[in-house]
Structure formats: C-alpha cells, structure tokens
C-alpha cells in the first residue's frame, strides 16, 4: 500500500517501490518448453466466417492483423473455424456463402451465435483469403447426428482445400474436428439424459470414420483428426468426458482414432452466461491463472503419454463471449499474456483464443459494429479495430521471435503479483518477459512498482546491457489507448503506427515494473 505523508493540510501519496532479485539461467534448462511462432492462435465462431474472411474479396483489416504476426515470427497464426455453431451448420447447393438464423440479442449476449447456419461451397472457398501458409483446423457437425450433412460438408471442405487459389497460397487443412464440446450435448439439448462418454465414442468413431473416408485421410496424409474438443478438464467435468476416458474406451485403436494427432480441450476462467459479475483483479491474479491451468495437468500428461500433442483449441477469459468491462480491458491483456506463457509450462503447445463478431473478449473486431459489445444498445458505427488483448498476443510473438529455436521457462519469483519468463534461442538466453498483475484503477492513488535486479546462473557470459520495451497502460479498466514500445495497433488498417521507444540500460541497473504493466527485456 502507498505511504501517506502529511505537511499541514497537504497530503502526498508516495508510491512504494519494492525490490526483488531474479535468477535467470544463461542456457536453456533441460525440459524448457519449445515454442512455435503460432503459440497464440485463433478460434473463430463459424456462423459469421464470411465476415472474417470476406466474400468477394479478402477482409483487409483481418489479413493485416494476422500479417503483423508473420512479420514478427515468420509464422501465421493457426486458425480454427468452428465452435458452437459448427454443430448447427448444414450444407446446401442452393446457398452461395451462408444463410444464418440468429436468436434475439440481449444485454448479456449482444451478439449471439446463430442457431441455424446453412452454407454453400463459397463458404469454404473463401479460405483462400487467409494469409499465405496459414494452417487451418475446421469443425464439422456431430450434434445433429446427420451423416449426410457431415458428408456434404466434408466434400465441400476438401474441394476448397484442393482449389488452385488455396494451393497457390499454401493454405493447408491440418485438422478436422468432428463435433464441438460433445460433453455438453445433454445440457444444450443435443442428446437425451442417457448421453455418456461411451455413446460419444461410438458416435464419434462412426462419424469420424465416414469423414476420413470422404476426405481420403490416412496415417500418411497431412490432414489429421482432432480428438476430444471437450468443454472442460477431467478435474471439473462431472459427466465423465475426458481424454483419459476416451483413451480407456479404445478410441485411439479405432480406424478413425488412429488418425488423431492432437487432443484439444476448451477452457474459460469464469462465466458470464447468466449475467453475473466478474472481477478484473481476480482474472489477472497470478495464483488464479495457475490454478485454472493446473487443473488440466492430468489430461495433458495422459495425452503426452500416448504420443499426442495437447492444445487449448478454444479458450478465452470469461465464457458466453466475455464479461463487460473485464474481458475487453487492458487488465485482460495482462491476463492473456501470463495465461499463454504459463500454459507452455504445463505442456500446452498452442492456444486458440476464441473470437466472434462483437464478442467482448476478442483480440480484434474485424468488421464495423453498430451495437455495443457491452449491452447491445445502438452505437455510432465503430470501425474494425484491435482490442487490448491483441497487444498481449504481439508481445508473445516478439518474445518468441523468428529463429524457430525458441524455448521458455518460468522464472522463479517469490512475489504474488509478478510473473516472469525467460526465452532462449539456440539454447542461449535472449529475452525475458515480466508482468505486474496488480490491477491499478483510477482513484487508487499512487502507482506502486517493483524494481527487478538480475543475477545469472550456468555456463556462458552474462549480458552487459538490456533493452526494455514496455506495454504502457493508463488503468487496468482501459479499453483503448495502450501503447507497446510507444507504438499503437489501434489504427484504421490494423498496422502498427508511431515511433518505437526502447530503453537501453546496463544490466546491473535492473528494471522497474509498475502495477498493471508488462515489459520485454532483451539481453545483449
């Protein structure tokens, strides 16, 4: 807490500067997590895919914000197209792109998912509008239990990915996902009360086998199948759905199951489905982030033990599209940064942050909005724009870089509100990220900070200097006007703008980290 000093009638609030020393290895420790440039990837609600991609021409804003990552890491984000609306999608030869039926908007859900989506071949062909080299993960309908619909969707999907425009840009279908969050089918009235994991495995094997035959998949094919795509971990899934359960039921030995290369699960750190409140400081808290992700460790370990990879195929801050003035804030950007980097430490290889038109927790809004994302009331047209969480994704990309050799470890910090991660290229220390997760709000008084001194262990020469790039945030509740290294991504075209500001300091002077702030330290 700040100290108060009084002279007569004048009260000065003096910020407290605490000091810590962190020890960083000079070379990557055994077991340091390997990081790919697409660690932060996207999951896009399928019902308005044409808005994201564009129909007659590409959505330039969306392509620009994706290309920003390519410029940093040489790798486009992985794009999943699916989620809840994948299980409400049917194919028709009489539709060019898509025709949707939406439920009414509400103050809780201003931009609801469509309850019925009918798509045509053009809906799949616009995959060609993505950046060169994009890998895609596409969801097919299992909930409606319609093999004909699954067949028609698969044919259209494979036609799109074999088309010249897609092939020329090396856009590839890496995964097909059969069904979204089947563990919730009883809850969402997709199945009756007898629905269980045994029935799921039987249905999935039937549908996935038909999909794999239609798509000509094999153990040698590039395209593989996603396993699970469940809504929660084995720790909190009372219905018995988990990777371990489907492994025990022999799914991996089935013809379709042998094509599973990656297990996906979904996670949100809270819920706004009934309109109940969520506290921004809770979301940002270091221990809360670790508790949320640690619940998945048994599932991750079981997955890795079977020689498979593990991803969060859909995740974000608060379910049902986010909580107002929480999910859309600068504080949520710091949550995303710590959440992503800690996820790598428990064996998660990629994180797909869920996005939908008008969703509160989006990294970006790719089209003009005419209704508030907070309560659904009409607003003046709001052009496509980056939201605060986008900055966190950019920081992750810069921490990883483009070498293709990056590894990361969490830095041991005995401080409840400061997180740190060290990054290594070619086995040698290159960068570190530090995050102060105390939510600083307007009216809070003095803004405290933590001074961080460095010490180094292991073989090699300690660095002499640091360059420090800072994510500047006014208040945790801010929804705009962030800067990263003095620059902004809140531009009309989604490109970075403004002069770059980097502080160059001798390593022995350490660095200062304010409340509600993140820094990237590059060692030289």
């Amino acid at each position: 807490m700040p100290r108060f000093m009084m002279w007569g009638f004048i009260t000065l609030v003096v910020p407290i500067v605490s000091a810590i020393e962190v020890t960083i290895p000079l070379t990557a420790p055994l077991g340091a997590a390997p990081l790919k440039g697409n660690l932060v990837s996207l999951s896009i609600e399928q019902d308005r895919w044409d808005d994201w991609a564009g129909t007659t021409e590409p959505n330039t804003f969306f392509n620009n914000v994706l290309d920003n990552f390519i410029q940093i890491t040489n790798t486009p984000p992985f794009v999943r197209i699916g989620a809840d609306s994948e299980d409400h999608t049917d194919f028709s030869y009489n539709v060019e792109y898509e025709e949707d039926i939406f439920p009414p908007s509400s103050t809780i859900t201003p931009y609801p998912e469509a309850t019925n989506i009918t798509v045509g071949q053009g809906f799949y062909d616009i995959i060609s509008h993505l950046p060169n080299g994009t890998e895609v993960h596409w969801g097919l309908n299992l909930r409606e239990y319609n093999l004909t619909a699954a067949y028609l969707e698969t044919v259209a999907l494979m036609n799109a990915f074999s088309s010249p425009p897609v092939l020329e840009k090396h856009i590839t279908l890496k995964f097909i996902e059969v069904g979204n969050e089947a563990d919730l089918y009883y809850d969402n009235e997709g199945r009756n009360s007898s629905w269980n994991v045994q029935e799921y495995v039987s249905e999935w094997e039937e549908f996935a086998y038909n999909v794999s035959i239609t798509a000509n998949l094999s153990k040698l094919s590039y395209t593989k199948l996603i396993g699970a795509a469940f809504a929660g971990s084995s720790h909190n899934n009372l219905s018995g759905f988990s990777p371990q359960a489907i492994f025990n039921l022999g799914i991996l030995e089935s013809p379709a199951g042998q094509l599973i290369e990656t297990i996906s699960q979904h996670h949100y750190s809270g819920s706004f489905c009934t309109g109940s409140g969520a506290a921004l400081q809770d979301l940002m808290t270091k221990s809360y982030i670790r508790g949320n992700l640690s619940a998945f460790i048994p599932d991750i370990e079981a997955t890795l033990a079977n020689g498979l990879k593990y991803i969060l195929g859909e995740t974000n801050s608060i379910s049902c599209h986010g909580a107002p003035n929480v999910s859309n804030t600068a504080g949520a950007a710091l949550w995303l940064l710590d959440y992503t980097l800690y996820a790598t430490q428990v064996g998660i290889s990629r994180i797909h942050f869920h996005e939908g038109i008008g969703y509160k927790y989006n990294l970006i809004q790719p089209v003009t909005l005419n209704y508030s994302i907070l309560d659904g009331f009409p607003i003046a047209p709001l052009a496509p724009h980056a939201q605060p969480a986008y900055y966190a994704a950019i920081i992750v990309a810069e921490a990883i870089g483009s070498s293709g050799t990056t590894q990361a470890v969490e830095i041991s910090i005995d401080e409840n509100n400061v997180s740190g991660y060290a990054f290594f290229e070619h086995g040698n220390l290159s960068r570190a990220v530090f995050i102060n997760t105390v939510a600083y709000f307007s009216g809070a008084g003095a803004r405290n900070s933590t001074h961080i001194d460095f010490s180094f262990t292991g073989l090699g020469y300690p660095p002499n200097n640091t360059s420090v790039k800072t994510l500047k945030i006014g208040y945790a509740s801010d929804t705009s006007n962030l800067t990263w290294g003095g620059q902004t991504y809140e531009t009309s075209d989604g490109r970075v703008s403004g002069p770059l500001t980097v502080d160059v300091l001798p390593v022995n002077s350490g660095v200062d980290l304010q409340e509600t702030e993140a820094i990237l330290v590059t060692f030289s």
Side-chain angles (χ1 to χ4, degrees):
M1 296 296 292
R3 296 187 181 92
F4 294 89
M5 300 179 66
M6 299 186 65
W7 289 275
F9 297 102
I10 301 175
T11 302
L12 298 178
V13 184
V14 180
I16 288 179
V17 180
S18 59
I20 59 174
E21 181 175 300
V22 299
T23 302
I24 306 175
L26 291 168
T27 56
L30 187 67
L35 307 184
K36 291 189 175 181
N38 59 12
L39 172 62
V40 172
S41 288
L42 301 182
S43 164
I44 294 175
E45 193 67 49
Q46 194 169 109
D47 58 4
R48 295 184 64 176
W49 164 238
D50 60 346
D51 283 330
W52 291 85
T55 51
T56 57
E57 60 184 19
N59 180 329
T60 301
F61 182 87
F62 183 46
N63 271 265
N64 285 349
V65 296
L66 294 179
D67 184 65
N68 290 337
F69 295 107
I70 300 172
Q71 299 302 314
I72 297 168
T73 67
N74 256 351
T75 308
F78 217 112
V79 178
R80 175 207 185 215
I81 300 114
D84 179 71
S85 50
E86 83 185 50
D87 274 331
H88 299 272
T89 300
D90 292 300
F91 183 87
S92 171
Y93 290 106
N94 298 319
V95 173
E96 183 178 11
Y97 295 108
E98 66 173 304
E99 296 176 357
D100 298 334
I101 298 173
F102 288 93
S105 173
S106 70
T107 55
I108 296 174
T109 311
Y111 290 85
E113 295 108 332
T115 52
N116 183 279
I117 305 105
T118 305
V119 303
Q121 184 62 53
F123 184 76
Y124 300 91
D125 291 343
I126 56 176
I127 203 76
S128 65
H129 292 171
L130 287 171
N132 285 23
T134 300
E135 293 183 287
V136 176
H137 164 166
W138 195 286
L140 301 178
N141 189 339
L142 174 65
R143 181 179 179 272
E144 293 184 356
Y145 198 71
N146 186 330
L147 276 169
T148 301
Y151 168 79
L152 293 173
E153 290 178 50
T154 305
V155 169
L157 186 63
M158 301 314 291
N159 285 342
F161 277 93
S162 61
S163 67
V166 173
L167 293 174
E168 287 168 9
K169 294 178 73 174
H170 304 287
I171 299 167
T172 54
L173 179 63
K174 181 58 178 172
F175 294 116
I176 296 175
E177 175 182 294
V178 181
N180 173 73
E181 299 182 353
D183 48 330
L184 300 183
Y185 281 180
Y186 170 64
D187 297 331
N188 61 32
E189 300 180 353
R191 296 291 185 276
N192 62 30
S193 60
S194 69
W195 180 243
N196 57 42
V197 69
Q198 290 87 353
E199 288 186 48
Y200 163 75
V201 168
S202 177
E203 282 192 17
W204 185 90
E205 289 177 354
E206 176 189 15
F207 269 70
Y209 175 74
N210 279 273
V211 166
S212 66
I213 294 299
T214 304
N216 196 29
L217 305 187
S218 71
K219 290 182 179 179
L220 300 178
S221 64
Y222 173 83
T223 304
K224 294 294 194 296
L225 298 177
I226 282 287
F230 297 148
S233 69
S234 58
H235 176 76
N236 61 14
N237 199 322
L238 301 179
S239 58
F241 285 74
S242 68
Q244 298 91 314
I246 62 174
F247 296 158
N248 292 337
L249 288 166
I251 197 171
L252 297 179
E253 285 72 55
S254 69
Q258 293 179 47
L259 302 177
I260 293 174
E261 187 177 86
T262 295
I263 291 294
S264 168
Q265 284 178 282
H266 302 169
H267 182 60
Y268 292 87
S269 297
S271 172
F272 192 68
C273 298
T274 61
S276 57
L280 180 54
Q281 179 63 85
D282 289 347
L283 178 71
M284 294 169 61
T285 299
K286 181 177 176 180
S287 59
Y288 186 72
I289 291 169
R290 280 143 187 76
N292 267 272
L293 288 169
S294 295
F296 288 86
I297 289 175
D299 305 353
I300 297 166
E301 290 178 342
T303 298
L304 300 181
N306 277 280
L308 305 174
K309 295 179 181 178
Y310 185 96
I311 65 171
L312 288 179
E314 177 184 327
T315 191
N316 217 307
S317 56
I318 308 292
S319 66
C320 292
H321 309 172
N325 302 313
V326 174
S327 299
N328 58 314
T329 67
L334 296 183
W335 164 82
L336 189 149
L337 182 57
D338 199 12
Y339 182 86
T340 298
L341 296 178
Y342 185 73
T344 68
Q345 303 302 295
V346 296
I348 299 171
S349 60
R350 192 171 60 254
I351 302 105
H352 292 254
F353 287 95
H354 195 49
E355 310 280 296
I357 300 299
Y359 292 6
K360 302 173 192 73
Y361 50 44
N362 279 11
L363 278 68
I364 65 164
Q365 299 291 353
V367 296
T368 297
L369 302 178
N370 295 302
Y371 300 91
S372 168
I373 67 172
L374 302 180
D375 56 23
F377 286 100
I379 56 173
L382 182 60
H385 59 281
Q387 298 201 151
Y390 184 77
Y391 287 90
I394 290 291
I395 296 171
V396 172
E398 292 192 16
I400 294 171
S402 60
S403 72
T405 67
T406 303
Q407 298 169 275
V409 295
E410 184 176 16
I411 298 168
S412 178
I413 299 177
D414 188 19
E415 180 73 35
N416 292 334
N417 300 307
V418 176
S419 301
Y421 301 87
F423 298 82
F424 306 84
E425 291 182 313
H426 304 286
N428 298 313
L429 176 66
S430 58
R431 292 176 285 276
V433 166
F434 296 96
I435 312 158
N436 188 317
T437 58
V438 174
Y440 179 71
F441 294 107
S442 176
R447 191 169 191 169
N448 301 327
S449 64
T450 300
H451 180 78
I452 302 171
D453 286 312
F454 303 116
S455 64
F456 301 93
T457 61
L459 299 175
Y461 295 102
N464 293 318
N465 296 300
T466 63
S467 60
V468 181
K469 196 171 180 180
T470 302
L471 179 65
K472 288 288 187 183
I473 295 168
Y475 301 106
S477 55
D478 285 354
T479 58
S480 62
N481 298 319
L482 287 71
T483 60
W484 171 233
Q487 298 177 307
T488 180
Y489 283 90
E490 297 163 44
T491 55
S492 60
D493 61 1
R495 295 297 195 180
V496 67
S497 177
L500 175 64
T501 301
V502 176
D503 296 317
V504 178
L505 303 167
V507 73
N508 59 11
S509 71
V511 294
D512 291 317
L513 181 68
Q514 288 193 116
E515 295 173 336
T516 310
E517 191 171 81
I519 57 175
L520 174 65
V521 179
T522 300
F523 297 102
S524 60

